[in-house]
Amino acid sequence: MPRSGPRLVEFHFDFGSPNAYFAHKALAGLATRTGATVRYVPVLLGGIFKATNNRSPFEAFAGVRNKLAYERLEIARFIARHGLTRFKMNPFFPVNTLMLMRGAVAMDKQGQLAPYAEAGFHHMWEEPKKMDDPAVFKAAMDASGFDGAALIEATQAPDVKAGLIGNTETSVGRGAFGVPTFFIGRDMYFGKDRLNDVEAVLAG
């Protein structure tokens, strides 16, 4: 895949974010309509939060009257607009995604990030599981056609660990403070609600 250019959109994601799942499901249609290439970049949301002193919306807006109710309304609207009928809130949320995201880096190195991303989002937000439990992770990935044991082993490789750290630091260095974040060249767009802007730029 091309690494940069006007027809490339980078999708910086972490499986732990429901909004990243929503963006993931909408990006295929966007790519088809615009002819753009989508490059998935695995990052660690917890690392981004720590580096930018950010918090999840559930924490940041917990004391703001009506804010979380409106956020849930926007989620419902997005689900309806894109027909995301398979979405289920993960009962184990928040899930520690370190193992999942290291797995994404390992699969990216093997050219298998696309099917792995589909599996990761599926097991987090369609048939939700406690994916930070190694036994659950192994069984889920085995069921999706991967070698779960080999994946767990790969997450401990020094280059995989360094790769996730590097992706996360680079994302923050470019301006990211959460996920989903999109880059078109140097221009950054944050949040699933900016997908219309992303599409307009790509189409124009």
Side-chain angles (χ1 to χ4, degrees), residues 130-195:
K130 195 177 189 309
M131 291 297 287
D132 50 6
D133 182 321
V136 173
F137 175 92
K138 179 183 180 302
M141 290 304 166
D142 284 344
S144 292
F146 296 96
D147 184 335
L151 262 173
I152 292 174
E153 183 177 355
T155 65
Q156 299 305 305
D159 63 326
V160 168
K161 293 180 179 180
L164 182 59
I165 293 171
N167 284 357
T168 303
E169 291 178 345
T170 298
S171 189
V172 170
R174 294 173 67 186
F177 52 87
V179 299
T181 293
F182 312 94
F183 289 96
I184 303 174
R186 295 182 178 181
D187 294 331
M188 187 183 91
Y189 303 83
F190 172 73
K192 68 183 188 302
D193 301 322
R194 296 295 177 267
L195 280 171

Side-chain angles (χ1 to χ4, degrees), residues 16-19 45 49 54-64 67-69 71-72 75 93 177-180 190 192:
S17 164
N19 285 325
L45 182 56
F49 280 173
N54 195 6
R55 294 179 294 161
S56 74
F58 295 97
E59 295 179 80
F61 302 133
V64 181
K67 176 64 175 177
L68 289 181
E71 290 295 315
R72 287 190 287 269
I75 286 174
F93 183 83
F177 52 87
V179 299
F190 172 73
K192 68 183 188 302

